[in-house]
Amino acid sequence: MLLISSVTKRWPRQAQPVLRDIDLQLRAGELVWLTGENGVGKTTLLRIVAGIIAPDTGGVRVCGLDAHGSRRAYQQSIGLLTAGNSGLYARMTARQHLDYWARLALVARDQRSERIERSIERFALGGLADRRMDRMSMGQRQRVRIAMTFLHRPALILLDEPSNSLDDDGRKVLLGAVEEHQGTGGSTVWCSPGGDGPDTLVARKLRLASAELHES
């Protein structure tokens, strides 16, 4: 599902690389929990996997695809939840966001309505579907962002601090979606610095430290 081979990344004017010779294989249906202190490069690694930035050396393949050789298919294979509260528009409703993302993700027109309604149900957005983002709490917005991540049914889900702002019910919804994704053969990388990981669902726990990846 995911193959990371000898990935190294350096930032300008920094003597040491943020990532050094990172190798990782992720099988279908597998979930890994990536931990590490703030600023060690976890988000950088996710962005490289998502094809947002390129490594200096090494490569990444998702479902056998390369980000540059098969750009559209590669992007359709990935769902990325970034950390924070980005990617939302204040005056758009949850339903409008889901429809907008379905179009960006190239979901077929005859499948959009079903995918949107399924996402509203799956992520408990029924009472929020027609509410604007600027009238939602941070936790409610996070549910919308998570629903967008899963909407196009990607093979690989990348979650960067997904539990941020979620209450207990929101976390249960998130874990249920991840478990369902695993059950269909999908794979997940869950990234967080602390103890808010995916509990019993995790297959492997990895730690990023000193630019290298270690079994934790």
Side-chain angles (χ1 to χ4, degrees):
M1 186 68 71
L2 169 64
L3 178 63
I4 302 174
S5 303
S6 302
V7 162
T8 294
K9 183 67 181 180
R10 290 179 174 84
W11 298 123
R13 295 181 295 278
Q14 289 189 6
Q16 300 299 321
V18 64
L19 301 171
R20 181 191 298 112
D21 292 327
I22 300 297
D23 293 306
L24 177 63
Q25 294 186 42
L26 190 61
R27 298 181 296 274
E30 188 177 12
L31 182 153
V32 297
W33 179 14
L34 177 61
T35 68
E37 296 179 358
N38 292 329
V40 298
K42 302 185 302 298
T43 294
T44 298
L45 181 59
L46 291 191
R47 288 176 176 174
I48 288 173
V49 173
I52 297 173
I53 59 177
D56 295 330
T57 60
V60 178
R61 298 186 75 84
V62 175
C63 300
L65 301 170
D66 177 82
H68 303 288
S70 308
R71 186 72 179 181
R72 176 178 291 189
Y74 186 93
Q75 293 295 332
Q76 287 178 309
S77 299
I78 294 173
L80 171 65
L81 176 73
T82 58
N85 193 33
S86 60
L88 299 176
Y89 298 89
R91 296 188 178 185
M92 286 175 59
T93 67
R95 191 186 303 276
Q96 287 171 333
H97 274 91
L98 292 169
D99 180 70
Y100 178 56
W101 182 249
R103 294 168 187 268
L104 288 179
L106 302 177
V107 174
R109 181 178 300 179
D110 60 355
Q111 297 178 14
R112 286 177 197 158
S113 293
E114 183 273 331
R115 297 281 185 92
I116 291 167
E117 294 308 314
R118 168 61 177 154
S119 293
I120 289 171
E121 177 185 1
R122 184 68 191 84
F123 294 94
L125 295 172
L128 303 171
D130 298 307
R131 187 182 300 182
R132 287 174 22 165
M133 289 298 108
D134 57 1
R135 296 171 185 170
M136 290 190 187
S137 70
M138 293 290 288
Q140 290 169 336
R141 294 175 194 174
Q142 184 72 343
R143 283 201 199 191
V144 174
R145 297 177 74 241
I146 293 168
M148 292 166 64
T149 303
F150 283 82
L151 175 68
H152 58 294
R153 298 176 184 170
L156 176 66
I157 295 285
L158 306 173
L159 302 174
D160 198 355
E161 301 187 28
S163 293
N164 280 358
S165 302
L166 292 181
D167 57 18
D168 289 344
D169 288 341
R171 184 173 167 81
K172 288 178 182 177
V173 167
L174 169 61
L175 289 171
V178 171
E179 187 172 19
E180 183 178 293
H181 179 64
Q182 286 181 271
T184 61
S187 301
T188 306
V189 179
W190 180 304
C191 177
S192 65
D196 56 345
D199 300 329
T200 58
L201 299 179
V202 66
R204 284 183 288 158
K205 186 177 179 181
L206 306 174
R207 183 171 182 81
L208 188 60
S210 302
E212 297 180 350
L213 201 58
H214 309 275
E215 289 279 351
S216 179

